[in-house]
Short mmCIF file of all heavy atoms in Angstrom, two decimals:
data_model
loop_
_atom_site.label_atom_id
_atom_site.label_comp_id
_atom_site.label_asym_id
_atom_site.label_seq_id
_atom_site.Cartn_x
_atom_site.Cartn_y
_atom_site.Cartn_z
N PRO F 1 0.80 -1.22 0.00
CA PRO F 1 0.00 0.00 0.00
C PRO F 1 0.84 1.28 0.00
O PRO F 1 0.30 2.36 0.07
CB PRO F 1 -0.78 -0.12 1.32
CG PRO F 1 0.12 -0.91 2.20
CD PRO F 1 0.84 -1.88 1.29
N TRP F 2 2.14 1.17 -0.08
CA TRP F 2 3.03 2.34 -0.03
C TRP F 2 3.27 2.91 -1.41
O TRP F 2 3.06 2.27 -2.42
CB TRP F 2 4.35 1.96 0.62
CG TRP F 2 4.89 0.66 0.12
CD1 TRP F 2 5.57 0.42 -1.03
CD2 TRP F 2 4.74 -0.62 0.74
NE1 TRP F 2 5.85 -0.91 -1.17
CE2 TRP F 2 5.36 -1.58 -0.09
CE3 TRP F 2 4.15 -1.05 1.92
CZ2 TRP F 2 5.40 -2.93 0.23
CZ3 TRP F 2 4.20 -2.40 2.22
CH2 TRP F 2 4.82 -3.32 1.37
N GLN F 3 3.76 4.14 -1.42
CA GLN F 3 4.10 4.82 -2.66
C GLN F 3 5.59 4.63 -2.94
O GLN F 3 6.38 4.49 -2.02
CB GLN F 3 3.78 6.31 -2.53
CG GLN F 3 2.31 6.60 -2.30
CD GLN F 3 1.47 6.14 -3.47
OE1 GLN F 3 1.80 6.35 -4.63
NE2 GLN F 3 0.35 5.50 -3.17
N PRO F 4 6.00 4.64 -4.23
CA PRO F 4 7.41 4.41 -4.57
C PRO F 4 8.38 5.36 -3.89
O PRO F 4 9.50 4.99 -3.63
CB PRO F 4 7.44 4.59 -6.09
CG PRO F 4 6.05 4.33 -6.54
CD PRO F 4 5.16 4.79 -5.40
N VAL F 5 7.98 6.58 -3.60
CA VAL F 5 8.91 7.54 -3.01
C VAL F 5 8.76 7.65 -1.49
O VAL F 5 9.46 8.42 -0.85
CB VAL F 5 8.74 8.94 -3.64
CG1 VAL F 5 9.11 8.90 -5.11
CG2 VAL F 5 7.32 9.46 -3.45
N SER F 6 7.85 6.87 -0.88
CA SER F 6 7.64 6.97 0.56
C SER F 6 8.54 5.99 1.30
O SER F 6 8.92 4.95 0.77
CB SER F 6 6.17 6.68 0.89
OG SER F 6 5.85 5.34 0.57
N PRO F 7 8.90 6.32 2.54
CA PRO F 7 9.72 5.39 3.34
C PRO F 7 8.93 4.13 3.65
O PRO F 7 7.72 4.18 3.85
CB PRO F 7 10.02 6.17 4.62
CG PRO F 7 9.45 7.53 4.46
CD PRO F 7 8.62 7.56 3.23
N VAL F 8 9.63 3.01 3.69
CA VAL F 8 9.02 1.72 3.98
C VAL F 8 9.88 1.02 5.02
O VAL F 8 11.10 1.01 4.93
CB VAL F 8 8.92 0.85 2.70
CG1 VAL F 8 8.34 -0.51 3.01
CG2 VAL F 8 8.10 1.55 1.65
N SER F 9 9.22 0.42 6.00
CA SER F 9 9.92 -0.30 7.06
C SER F 9 9.82 -1.80 6.80
O SER F 9 8.71 -2.32 6.60
CB SER F 9 9.31 0.03 8.42
OG SER F 9 9.76 -0.86 9.40
N LEU F 10 10.95 -2.48 6.84
CA LEU F 10 10.95 -3.92 6.70
C LEU F 10 10.11 -4.56 7.81
O LEU F 10 9.26 -5.41 7.55
CB LEU F 10 12.38 -4.46 6.74
CG LEU F 10 12.52 -5.97 6.60
CD1 LEU F 10 12.19 -6.41 5.18
CD2 LEU F 10 13.91 -6.40 6.98
N GLU F 11 10.35 -4.13 9.06
CA GLU F 11 9.68 -4.74 10.21
C GLU F 11 8.21 -4.37 10.32
O GLU F 11 7.40 -5.19 10.73
CB GLU F 11 10.37 -4.32 11.52
CG GLU F 11 11.81 -4.74 11.63
CD GLU F 11 12.79 -3.73 11.04
OE1 GLU F 11 12.38 -2.72 10.44
OE2 GLU F 11 14.00 -3.97 11.17
N GLU F 12 7.87 -3.15 9.97
CA GLU F 12 6.49 -2.68 10.17
C GLU F 12 5.61 -2.79 8.92
O GLU F 12 4.39 -2.77 9.05
CB GLU F 12 6.50 -1.23 10.66
CG GLU F 12 7.14 -1.10 12.04
CD GLU F 12 7.19 0.34 12.51
OE1 GLU F 12 6.46 1.19 11.96
OE2 GLU F 12 7.97 0.61 13.44
N ASP F 13 6.20 -2.87 7.75
CA ASP F 13 5.43 -2.87 6.52
C ASP F 13 5.58 -4.17 5.72
O ASP F 13 4.61 -4.87 5.47
CB ASP F 13 5.83 -1.68 5.62
CG ASP F 13 5.59 -0.34 6.30
OD1 ASP F 13 4.52 -0.16 6.91
OD2 ASP F 13 6.48 0.52 6.22
N ILE F 14 6.80 -4.47 5.32
CA ILE F 14 7.02 -5.57 4.38
C ILE F 14 6.79 -6.94 5.01
O ILE F 14 6.06 -7.76 4.47
CB ILE F 14 8.42 -5.46 3.76
CG1 ILE F 14 8.51 -4.17 2.94
CG2 ILE F 14 8.73 -6.68 2.90
CD1 ILE F 14 9.88 -3.85 2.41
N LEU F 15 7.44 -7.21 6.15
CA LEU F 15 7.28 -8.53 6.76
C LEU F 15 5.85 -8.81 7.22
O LEU F 15 5.33 -9.90 6.95
CB LEU F 15 8.27 -8.72 7.91
CG LEU F 15 9.73 -8.81 7.48
CD1 LEU F 15 10.64 -8.93 8.70
CD2 LEU F 15 9.97 -9.96 6.53
N PRO F 16 5.15 -7.87 7.87
CA PRO F 16 3.75 -8.15 8.22
C PRO F 16 2.88 -8.41 7.00
O PRO F 16 2.02 -9.29 7.02
CB PRO F 16 3.31 -6.88 8.95
CG PRO F 16 4.55 -6.33 9.53
CD PRO F 16 5.62 -6.62 8.50
N LEU F 17 3.10 -7.66 5.92
CA LEU F 17 2.32 -7.89 4.69
C LEU F 17 2.61 -9.28 4.13
O LEU F 17 1.70 -9.99 3.71
CB LEU F 17 2.64 -6.81 3.64
CG LEU F 17 1.91 -6.97 2.32
CD1 LEU F 17 0.41 -6.83 2.51
CD2 LEU F 17 2.41 -5.95 1.31
N ALA F 18 3.87 -9.68 4.14
CA ALA F 18 4.24 -11.01 3.64
C ALA F 18 3.54 -12.09 4.46
O ALA F 18 2.97 -13.04 3.90
CB ALA F 18 5.75 -11.19 3.69
N LEU F 19 3.55 -11.95 5.77
CA LEU F 19 2.91 -12.95 6.64
C LEU F 19 1.41 -12.97 6.46
O LEU F 19 0.79 -14.04 6.37
CB LEU F 19 3.28 -12.69 8.10
CG LEU F 19 4.75 -12.92 8.44
CD1 LEU F 19 5.06 -12.40 9.84
CD2 LEU F 19 5.12 -14.39 8.31
N GLN F 20 0.79 -11.79 6.36
CA GLN F 20 -0.66 -11.70 6.16
C GLN F 20 -1.07 -12.29 4.81
O GLN F 20 -2.16 -12.81 4.67
CB GLN F 20 -1.12 -10.25 6.26
CG GLN F 20 -1.03 -9.68 7.65
CD GLN F 20 -1.25 -8.16 7.67
OE1 GLN F 20 -1.51 -7.54 6.63
NE2 GLN F 20 -1.12 -7.58 8.84
N SER F 21 -0.18 -12.20 3.84
CA SER F 21 -0.47 -12.70 2.49
C SER F 21 -0.18 -14.20 2.36
O SER F 21 -0.34 -14.76 1.28
CB SER F 21 0.37 -11.95 1.45
OG SER F 21 0.11 -10.57 1.51
N GLY F 22 0.30 -14.81 3.45
CA GLY F 22 0.59 -16.23 3.41
C GLY F 22 1.92 -16.56 2.75
O GLY F 22 2.16 -17.71 2.40
N LYS F 23 2.79 -15.57 2.59
CA LYS F 23 4.11 -15.81 2.00
C LYS F 23 4.98 -16.55 3.00
O LYS F 23 4.82 -16.41 4.21
CB LYS F 23 4.79 -14.49 1.62
CG LYS F 23 4.03 -13.65 0.64
CD LYS F 23 4.14 -14.20 -0.74
CE LYS F 23 3.45 -13.23 -1.70
NZ LYS F 23 3.44 -13.72 -3.05
N ARG F 24 5.92 -17.30 2.50
CA ARG F 24 6.88 -17.98 3.36
C ARG F 24 7.97 -16.99 3.73
O ARG F 24 8.53 -16.32 2.87
CB ARG F 24 7.46 -19.20 2.66
CG ARG F 24 6.41 -20.25 2.37
CD ARG F 24 6.96 -21.53 1.84
NE ARG F 24 7.90 -21.31 0.75
CZ ARG F 24 8.64 -22.26 0.21
NH1 ARG F 24 8.56 -23.50 0.66
NH2 ARG F 24 9.47 -22.00 -0.77
N VAL F 25 8.27 -16.91 5.01
CA VAL F 25 9.31 -16.03 5.52
C VAL F 25 10.29 -16.88 6.30
O VAL F 25 9.89 -17.68 7.14
CB VAL F 25 8.71 -14.93 6.44
CG1 VAL F 25 9.79 -14.07 7.04
CG2 VAL F 25 7.71 -14.08 5.66
N PHE F 26 11.55 -16.75 5.99
CA PHE F 26 12.59 -17.55 6.63
C PHE F 26 13.58 -16.65 7.34
O PHE F 26 13.82 -15.52 6.93
CB PHE F 26 13.36 -18.38 5.58
CG PHE F 26 12.50 -19.36 4.84
CD1 PHE F 26 11.92 -19.01 3.64
CD2 PHE F 26 12.29 -20.63 5.35
CE1 PHE F 26 11.12 -19.89 2.95
CE2 PHE F 26 11.49 -21.53 4.67
CZ PHE F 26 10.91 -21.16 3.47
N GLY F 27 14.18 -17.18 8.38
CA GLY F 27 15.22 -16.46 9.10
C GLY F 27 16.20 -17.45 9.67
O GLY F 27 15.94 -18.65 9.73
N LEU F 28 17.31 -16.96 10.09
CA LEU F 28 18.36 -17.80 10.68
C LEU F 28 18.83 -17.11 11.94
O LEU F 28 19.28 -15.97 11.90
CB LEU F 28 19.53 -17.96 9.70
CG LEU F 28 20.74 -18.71 10.23
CD1 LEU F 28 20.40 -20.16 10.54
CD2 LEU F 28 21.87 -18.64 9.21
#
C-alpha cells in the first residue's frame, strides 16, 4: 500500500504484509 517515493519499514510494513499474504518467511 506504499508509494514508490515513501519510506518503507521492513519490520512494520514488508514482513507483516508477507505474513498476512501467506508468504513464506525464513530467518536464521
Side-chain angles (χ1 to χ4, degrees):
W2 44 80
Q3 298 297 316
V5 296
S6 65
V8 178
S9 167
L10 180 71
E11 299 88 355
E12 295 178 17
D13 299 316
I14 296 173
L15 292 177
L17 179 63
L19 293 170
Q20 291 169 2
S21 301
K23 301 284 185 183
R24 296 187 311 172
V25 176
F26 298 93
L28 175 64

